[in-house]
């Protein structure tokens, strides 16, 4: 039980690559900064994803569901089965580089989070940091949002903002955004786990007591 008497929220992490956001979440839990959550399972759709290896080294439960060449609905049904088997309550996309099927999204209504390296709704899609840099914005950042059926579109849980420096290039900007992502994701999960926040239309706000 966590401090408030609630059981920790069971997270299912989905990743495809290096997994630095996953590791930041795991570190927050281990260091007691995210006491309201626990990682139930880490799933990769890519066999050699470094994030999957890191999860195994931490002693976490892992699963590999290779998606390459597979029908999306069938692949996602297999992931759903694994998430259900581990009684996952909140799915966290952490660099999961594949679109989810409508069936998967419907199975976890307002229970899937994603992190995106821009201040949405600006610069959805791939290479968002470079898009922002090329556009010449003066502020950049990251967004944690609920996943709906549209790309990088669901209700925003929180954003973190940084100035773009004259000395930046696309790479340094991406590095500084990533550092913000590592703070933002755990904080967003904490909001969901607290039970103190709710969706009102497109807004995610603290409940009035
Ligand atoms: C991050 O930039 C995240 O915002 C985006 O994919 C990247 C994943 O990085 N969705 P990592 O695998 O968590 O290091």
């Amino acid at each position: 039980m966590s401090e408030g008497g609630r059981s920790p929220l069971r997270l299912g992490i989905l990743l495809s690559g290096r997994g630095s956001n996953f590791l930041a979440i795991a570190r927050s839990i281990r260091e007691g900064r995210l006491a309201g959550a626990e990682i139930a399972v880490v799933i990769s759709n890519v066999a050699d994803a470094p994030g999957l290896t890191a999860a195994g080294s931490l002693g976490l439960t892992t699963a590999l569901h290779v998606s390459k060449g597979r029908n999306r609905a069938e692949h996602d049904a297999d992931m759903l089965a694994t998430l259900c088997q581990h009684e996952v309550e909140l799915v966290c996309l952490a660099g999961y580089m594949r679109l989810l099927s409508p069936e998967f999204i419907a199975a976890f209504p307002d229970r899937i989070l994603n992190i995106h390296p821009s201040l949405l709704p600006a610069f959805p899609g791939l290479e968002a940091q470079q898009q922002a840099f090329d556009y010449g914005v003066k502020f950049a950042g990251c967004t944690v949002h609920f996943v709906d059926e549209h790309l990088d579109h669901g209700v925003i849980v929180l954003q973190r903002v940084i100035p773009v420096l004259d000395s930046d290039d696309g790479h340094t900007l991406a590095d500084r955004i990533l550092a913000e992502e590592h703070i933002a994701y755990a904080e967003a999960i904490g909001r969901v786990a607290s039970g103190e926040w709710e969706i009102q239309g497109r807004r995610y706000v603290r409940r009035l007591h």
Side-chain angles (χ1 to χ4, degrees):
M1 288 283 191
S2 65
E3 256 172 54
R6 284 168 179 271
S7 317
L9 189 69
R10 292 178 64 76
L11 309 180
I13 308 276
L14 266 53
L15 54 76
S16 308
R18 75 189 155 183
S20 73
N21 276 288
F22 145 63
L23 285 168
I25 295 165
R27 200 176 313 120
S28 294
I29 293 173
R30 201 174 56 236
E31 294 174 359
R33 283 176 280 118
L34 183 50
E38 64 186 6
I39 295 175
V41 63
V42 178
I43 301 177
S44 173
N45 68 323
V46 174
D48 59 357
L52 184 66
T53 310
S57 309
L58 290 175
L60 294 167
T61 303
T62 61
L64 173 63
H65 291 294
V66 175
S67 59
K68 198 167 182 192
R70 287 200 70 200
N71 166 285
R72 190 184 315 280
E74 287 173 13
H75 170 259
D76 285 8
D78 288 350
M79 290 203 301
L80 271 179
T82 298
L83 294 168
C84 291
Q85 181 195 341
H86 295 287
E87 299 177 4
V88 165
E89 299 166 290
L90 181 70
V91 176
C92 299
L93 307 184
Y96 181 71
M97 301 303 287
R98 198 181 203 229
L99 291 176
L100 293 168
S101 62
E103 295 80 9
F104 186 101
I105 294 168
F108 280 94
D110 301 331
R111 288 273 141 181
I112 307 173
L113 291 180
N114 182 42
I115 187 155
H116 183 75
S118 79
L119 297 173
L120 289 172
F123 313 119
L126 293 175
E127 298 188 10
Q129 308 95 323
Q130 190 67 45
Q131 288 187 56
F133 181 79
D134 291 344
Y135 195 91
V137 296
K138 296 297 184 194
F139 291 90
C142 62
T143 304
V144 182
H145 64 93
F146 288 104
V147 171
D148 66 11
E149 59 281 11
H150 305 291
L151 181 69
D152 299 330
H153 173 268
V155 167
I156 291 172
V157 177
L158 67 79
Q159 297 183 302
R160 288 182 66 87
V161 182
I162 54 168
V164 179
L165 308 176
D166 290 348
S167 56
D168 268 329
D169 59 26
H171 297 290
T172 59
L173 181 62
D175 286 347
R176 291 193 302 110
I177 292 173
L178 189 63
E180 300 302 317
E181 294 183 42
H182 295 163
I183 301 167
Y185 218 156
E187 195 178 334
I189 293 167
R191 285 187 186 180
V192 176
S194 73
E196 291 174 6
W197 293 68
E198 64 183 5
I199 296 174
Q200 290 179 4
R202 271 210 58 92
R203 302 181 65 231
Y204 196 56
V205 294
R206 205 185 274 279
R207 280 179 211 278
L208 295 174
H209 291 291

